[in-house]
Amino acid sequence: NCDVEGGRDVMVRVAFQLGAGGQVVGEVTSQIQGARTPVATASADRAVRAVYAAAPFRGLPREFYGDRIAVNFNAREACAR
């Protein structure tokens, strides 16, 4: 949402664990870095849903399966493209 007011300021960290078959194991968590605005909250919720929707994850290096993975989303960088 680069065109939404405050959308370029969103920074979210999503963490999850993958099982041996690439499925999400346990809960996907999100953490807003910075101001907890409605736009940031909506972005964090969408990021969690995106992880569940992308499962099962296949073709990743073996070390990703079984470990907790954290992904950072920085809208300022993404919107600059």
Side-chain angles (χ1 to χ4, degrees), residues 16-25 50-60 65:
F16 55 98
Q17 184 174 357
L18 296 179
Q23 75 279 14
V24 174
V25 176
V51 170
Y52 285 118
F57 292 83
R58 304 210 191 283
L60 296 174
Y65 300 101

Side-chain angles (χ1 to χ4, degrees), residues 21-60:
Q23 75 279 14
V24 174
V25 176
E27 183 180 1
V28 177
T29 60
S30 65
Q31 182 179 29
I32 297 169
Q33 312 286 314
R36 196 168 193 74
T37 65
V39 172
T41 301
S43 297
D45 291 342
R46 282 196 316 240
V48 168
R49 287 195 308 266
V51 170
Y52 285 118
F57 292 83
R58 304 210 191 283
L60 296 174

